[in-house]
Amino acid sequence: MKKLAVFISGYGSNLETIANFCIKNTKLAKVSIVISNKANVNGILIAEKYKIPSFVVPTKGIAMEQFENECEKLLVDIDYICLAGFMRVLTQQFINKWRSKIINIHPSLLPSFKGVNAIKDALEYGVKITGCTVHFAEEEIDSGRIIVQKAVEIQDNETEDSLKNKIKAIEKIAYTEALHILCN
Ligand code: GRF
């Protein structure tokens, strides 16, 4: 059984997907710990709802190395670190140490529209299809081997909010499929 750590910064819808996967597949995986770099975010309430131990390890005004050292103390016996809306960039050293064990979800069909404004950028570019990508984290941001991709169509009257909602819906499917691949 794979032991997962989930890193969050906000709402936690992907954390909820991962927690539900574990409930339905108790022999495959378990979320051992949730680490949030922000206090008072909805994701922490989701961790509480699923009775998963959660810790706030702040990043504000702190070197990422220090954040990662604090996390390492909590990452005992962990098989995979699932980034689920974690909005900070991990150091090369941390990525190297956990190579092929850190998974990220990004709201575009990579390698298109990397970065924090992926949904807005896809809409502004005028692409007709976008989606989400679950991939291994690498030193270069939003790169790394792709595990699962799911696509959505962009309609003529699409807004940033409507597209965000469509992508959130397929992120659930994509993260679940990725966990089936990794934890089997
Ligand atoms: C998702 O859209 C994900 O693709 C991106 O950040 C967002 C996190 O949402 N990396 P949530 O906190 O899981 O609801």
Side-chain angles (χ1 to χ4, degrees):
M1 193 235 274
K2 303 287 188 235
K3 293 192 183 137
L4 312 177
V6 183
F7 283 20
I8 60 164
S9 300
Y11 194 72
S13 62
N14 285 286
L15 165 62
E16 187 146 36
T17 298
I18 298 164
N20 277 320
F21 171 86
C22 293
I23 286 172
K24 289 188 193 128
N25 299 278
T26 46
K27 287 189 182 145
L28 296 185
K30 169 190 169 167
V31 184
S32 298
I33 185 170
V34 170
I35 296 178
S36 175
N37 68 322
K38 295 219 168 123
N40 304 318
V41 291
N42 189 60
I44 294 173
L45 299 179
I46 292 181
E48 284 166 6
K49 176 175 149 193
Y50 287 86
K51 302 195 168 38
I52 303 165
S54 65
F55 295 84
V56 176
V57 183
T59 46
K60 201 170 180 194
I62 287 165
M64 273 314 271
E65 286 84 356
Q66 201 181 325
F67 164 83
E68 290 162 355
N69 287 341
E70 290 304 313
C71 290
E72 288 284 4
K73 293 179 200 160
L74 301 167
L75 297 173
V76 180
D77 245 4
I78 293 297
D79 296 294
Y80 288 111
I81 297 172
C82 301
L83 305 180
F86 180 68
M87 299 307 282
R88 294 298 299 256
V89 178
L90 297 163
T91 67
Q92 219 159 309
Q93 203 188 355
F94 189 84
I95 301 259
N96 274 337
K97 196 197 151 199
W98 289 89
R99 187 166 302 279
S100 300
K101 293 188 175 301
I102 307 177
I103 297 130
N104 184 40
I105 185 154
H106 182 76
S108 78
L109 294 175
L110 291 173
S112 292
F113 307 115
K114 296 181 178 184
V116 287
N117 295 317
I119 297 176
K120 187 166 178 266
D121 291 347
L123 204 54
E124 281 178 1
Y125 193 96
V127 289
K128 301 296 178 196
I129 295 172
T130 186
C132 70
T133 304
V134 182
H135 64 97
F136 289 107
E138 272 298 338
E139 285 137 32
E140 196 194 316
I141 194 164
D142 299 328
S143 62
R145 190 152 58 85
I146 290 170
I147 306 164
V148 173
Q149 286 189 309
K150 294 285 161 199
V152 292
E153 283 187 15
I154 299 182
Q155 306 302 332
D156 292 343
N157 61 350
E158 203 78 53
T159 64
E160 213 179 310
D161 272 348
S162 66
L163 186 54
K164 208 172 169 177
N165 289 336
K166 275 188 188 174
I167 291 180
K168 283 260 176 202
I170 53 160
E171 283 189 338
K172 274 191 196 164
I173 302 166
Y175 227 129
T176 303
E177 276 187 28
L179 290 171
H180 269 293
I181 293 168
L182 294 171
C183 301
N184 257 311

